[in-house]
Amino acid sequence: MSFVYLERKAISSNAPLLLLLHGYGSNADDLFSFAAYIPDTYHVVSLQAPLPMSHESFAWFPIHFTESMERWTSPEEVNKAKDYIAEFLSYYEEKGGFDNSRIYLMGFSQGAMLSYAVGLDTKAVKGIAALSGYIDPRVVDFTNTEMKSIYVSHGKEDMVVPFAWAEQSVEKLKGYGYQPEFYEYPQGHGINQDNLTTIIQWLREQL
């Protein structure tokens, strides 16, 4: 299997890995634009989703619509995306050069959904940053007791993924014994400067 990804090496070979997962309709360049702000004590890798939508536009799994234009997703298709990310982690681990016992996931929107889905049942994942996403309980197993930290941020004016879904996800995490940090911002479906600043601070605190 071939993977498309961008990477920025850390200053030391035994550094943790930060895997970036972009949103629906975007590509590996999107979150990788933050790499310059991310501490160089992380290996930073931005993985591109496997499903092409149009030129330079990709998805992790399809979004379907009913006749009344209500959105729905298939758990089977989401699980295929989970498997794709797991396969990439195995592939990248074989290349070596990072501490494979310390993996962090940072995802936006659809990438945040997958960060939850992969991270919450993968013991090597020590932290998740879920930006403008939510937990889909159909594809998440809360079995990763090694999880140290979860960062959640969401725009109060998000018209794509409702703010209430993020609130429900935080409560679900707490119900399973996790202690997420939850940040809300006066923004829509995106990441503003204040949000980016707190993400970078959270990443620094994990080291």
Side-chain angles (χ1 to χ4, degrees), residues 146-176:
E146 305 295 317
M147 180 72 66
K148 293 197 307 183
S149 185
I150 301 176
Y151 172 102
V152 181
S153 65
H154 215 96
K156 292 276 286 184
E157 300 154 24
D158 194 328
M159 302 296 288
V160 178
V161 178
F163 181 76
W165 293 9
E167 292 182 303
Q168 292 163 9
S169 298
V170 167
E171 290 309 307
K172 188 172 290 289
L173 287 166
K174 290 178 178 177
Y176 279 91

Side-chain angles (χ1 to χ4, degrees), residues 25 51-58:
L51 305 179
M53 296 174 62
S54 61
H55 181 59
E56 297 183 350
S57 177
F58 299 85

